[in-house]
Amino acid sequence: MRLVPFHYAGTNDPIIFINPEHVVAIRAFTSSTHIYVSVLGKDASPSYYPVRESIDDVVKHLTS
């Protein structure tokens, strides 16, 4: 299993690690990029992690 580190766009800006095999979509916003994963949220909505990296950086790190 390969894990890729990202800066979580939340309080205290911790590092999170995401498994690229579970990523289903990526969406850019003004101040963050959302990485959607295959695990559903509590209400069966898409689960995502907002990160501080740009969408180009996220794609580069997930595909390298």
Side-chain angles (χ1 to χ4, degrees):
M1 170 177 53
R2 183 171 77 94
L3 296 174
V4 180
F6 292 99
H7 293 92
Y8 185 72
T11 58
N12 299 331
D13 194 31
I15 301 293
I16 61 169
F17 293 86
I18 296 179
N19 183 343
E21 293 179 14
H22 294 176
V23 174
V24 295
I26 303 166
R27 184 175 179 193
F29 288 91
T30 305
S31 61
S32 65
T33 301
H34 290 187
I35 301 174
Y36 293 84
V37 294
S38 58
V39 178
L40 294 178
K42 292 179 186 177
D43 59 353
S45 63
S47 183
Y48 67 90
Y49 295 94
V51 298
R52 297 198 183 277
E53 288 79 5
S54 71
I55 193 165
D56 292 334
D57 286 341
V58 170
V59 171
K60 178 182 173 187
H61 285 65
L62 289 174
T63 59
S64 62

